[in-house]
Amino acid sequence: MAPQTDPAAHDDLTADLVEESYRAHLAMMFRVAIRKFGIRPAEAEPLVHDVFATFMMHSDGVRNVTAYLIGAMCNACRQYLRQSTAENALFCGEEPCLATAEDGLIEEIHRKETLRRVLRRTGARCRDLLHRYYIEGQSTSDIAAAYETTPGTIQVFLHNCRERARKACGGERS
Amino acid sequence: MRHPAEADLLLYAFDPAASDRRAEIEEHLPSCGACRQTVESERFDDLLRDPFVWGDAASPAMESSLRARAAEIAREDAEAELLLGGLTPAAAAWTRRFRNRRNHTGGVVRWLTRRAHAICESRPLDALTYADQAAYVAESLRDDRYVAGAVFELRGTAWKERANALRLLGRFDAAHEALDRAAEAYSRLRHSGRGHAAVDFIRAAVLFEQQRQDEAALLAERAERAFAHLGLDDDRMRAIFLRANIRYEQGQLFAATAAFHEVLAWGEALKSAYWTGVGALGLGNCYIDRGEVGEASFHFRRALVLFTELHMESVCIKSQWGMGRVLLALGSHTDALLRLHEVAAGFERLGMVTDAALVGLDIADGLLTSGRTREIIPLASHVFDVFRQAGMLTGALAAVAYLKEAAAAGTLTPKGVDSVRRFLRRAERQPDLLFAPPAP
């Protein structure tokens, strides 16, 4: 008698595991393509997508996910840049590998992951202020106008939100 | 205290490697809280400017595509389990389930290839049945059935499993053909993942069995580097173990020793009794062939203890075989022959008749050295009977018959024993080989 499984339950579990790996490594994969191989973000995205989609099919056999995804991105980037055919792109031959995650990169990825988690928990107003300032590039005057307040008040808010996030990151990492 | 210029600190914070004042700044920072804060603050601002931390990096289309793909894999796997769970290899060969195209999914291919992989070493014929069905289903899928060319990954894996089963069945030409199909499928992917490396590894193993050791060594090393590149340490260690065995077969004992030491160190680091044991067993064989009996004895004993704990009978007996060879090398012929007879009986009990015969050849060596050549005749007769009962083919029987006749005629030499030994080792995986007696 075959074991009865609930497809929906399996569905959720696998999707959660994949989501976790995806979140944890996405930045690193883009970084390998963009910073190490000079590939433009729009062109890097299909590579990241395919490397990750292939990884999903045999993720259970991969113990060191970070190392695998870096190596696979290196292969994909070289293949994309026509530096190598698929069969000869098994490894780059560089010692160390061009895409090897030096300690600094790994550290940076961890810092980003920590901040991502912190920002998810940050209150809506702080998130919005920080996003406007750091991502959308709005000036404190623009933000003040949107919030119908003064630029000075926004500067104080921004300072407080930023410090709160920084301390939360320090707390998480320690 | 002289502080670095702010511009230098900011450049350092952004990219330490790009700063030509890096050494100076790194010497200064530990003793200056103010500069340290400037660097940390700038780095934090840099992080906040990174879209990744806001979850905005990848396009929603990519995220939803991957999420949908993950869900699709999970759903298909669960459906395949419901459809095929408990399916025996015999049933897999005849079931009509694979004729229904609605059942042609990636989940079914994965179910079959996983089963094939799991039983390949112990039941290669059954694994071949699963792999054949997997290849059939995978080939019937449309090329664009899944995103990211995933159909090619499925096909590559199915052919790879078929090749591995064929290798273990000694059908080497068919194994090479299956590997060609696997490589062709993997080449259609946007990047080389584990697939091509696995193809190289299995092809190296096939070439090893075919005694094409130079070609095998090249591919094993390529696979080893590719696995290392992908951080697949378990696979890399299998490739190193294969390389060690290739070097041993080539008689490159120092290279083999170095590679087996890597395997041993890996096993110790992982606290894996199995990998430590196989490393120790390989080292024992290398050292005994190098004439370093003390080292050999140490490693054989260690392997024996580990395999005994693991209840792995066949490798336990192989370790005892090594101990018998140690006694033989030390000149303790009586003790050695006693132990080797026990080892041969152990192999026969497990149906490992070629290994039993190879132990018989070590016994023949011992008897020759101690001038008891006549005792080789009943020994060879026994091996001949064991081979015949096991259905061994002409070549192996001819080799053992030669051993018996040469012993009876008093013309048997250590070189003659060695030629039979080398032949039997090859004939185990190449049953069509014919034995040619050594020139007198």
Side-chain angles (χ1 to χ4, degrees), chain A residues 45 49-50 63 86 112 162, chain B residues 45 50 59 65 190 192 234:
Chain A
E45 187 168 295
H49 176 273
D50 282 13
R63 272 202 285 171
K112 283 184 182 173
R162 182 182 175 285
Chain B
D45 278 359
D50 193 319
S59 70
S65 165
R190 206 192 283 266
S192 295
D234 293 350

Side-chain angles (χ1 to χ4, degrees), chain B residues 85-325:
Chain B
L87 186 75
T88 62
W94 298 105
T95 182
R96 299 174 70 85
R97 274 174 266 195
F98 300 121
R99 293 190 191 169
N100 184 345
R101 290 187 73 86
R102 274 189 310 177
N103 294 334
H104 289 193
T105 66
V108 165
V109 177
R110 279 189 297 278
W111 191 96
L112 290 164
T113 50
R114 278 182 192 143
R115 291 299 178 285
H117 189 77
I119 62 170
C120 204
E121 293 286 337
S122 56
R123 289 153 52 202
L125 197 57
D126 289 343
L128 182 62
T129 304
Y130 284 135
D132 279 346
Q133 295 289 17
Y136 167 70
V137 175
E139 289 294 338
S140 78
L141 297 171
R142 277 203 342 256
D143 288 359
D144 59 354
R145 167 81 179 254
Y146 302 111
V147 296
V151 161
F152 301 110
E153 178 81 21
L154 292 167
R155 288 181 191 158
T157 307
W159 286 109
K160 174 171 71 75
E161 291 305 334
R162 177 176 156 76
N164 210 19
L166 289 165
R167 170 181 75 85
L168 290 159
L169 291 167
R171 292 165 58 184
F172 301 131
D173 289 342
H176 281 297
E177 281 169 28
L179 287 168
D180 290 343
R181 299 288 298 266
E184 188 187 320
Y186 287 132
S187 292
R188 304 280 296 274
L189 289 166
R190 206 192 283 266
H191 72 99
S192 295
R194 188 182 213 162
H196 277 303
V199 166
D200 276 353
F201 174 70
I202 297 170
R203 203 185 291 281
V206 174
L207 292 167
F208 170 73
E209 303 287 1
Q210 290 180 294
Q211 304 287 312
R212 291 162 61 182
Q213 306 300 6
D214 290 342
E215 296 163 84
L218 280 175
L219 283 180
E221 280 167 29
R222 208 167 98 116
E224 183 187 324
R225 291 188 70 186
F227 288 137
H229 185 60
L230 293 168
L232 299 167
D233 290 337
D234 293 350
D235 292 325
R236 183 175 74 91
M237 204 43 58
R238 285 185 196 98
I240 292 176
F241 185 58
L242 175 59
R243 173 162 60 83
N245 281 293
I246 292 168
R247 295 304 180 204
Y248 181 75
E249 282 295 315
Q250 288 177 314
Q252 296 181 17
L253 295 177
F254 286 93
T257 305
F260 280 125
H261 267 299
E262 278 188 71
V263 175
L264 182 81
W266 161 258
E268 287 173 341
L270 275 188
K271 296 192 185 352
S272 158
Y274 174 76
W275 280 111
T276 308
V278 294
L281 184 57
L283 283 170
N285 285 319
C286 287
Y287 281 119
I288 191 101
D289 287 0
R290 286 167 54 172
E292 296 179 45
V293 182
E295 279 290 314
S297 175
F298 170 78
H299 287 294
F300 283 133
R301 277 181 197 283
R302 189 170 184 199
L304 184 58
V305 169
L306 291 166
F307 291 136
T308 304
E309 281 171 11
L310 291 171
H311 305 291
M312 295 179 74
E313 198 176 359
S314 66
V315 268
C316 267
I317 297 173
K318 284 187 178 177
S319 309
Q320 285 170 336
W321 182 6
M323 296 302 299
R325 292 178 67 205

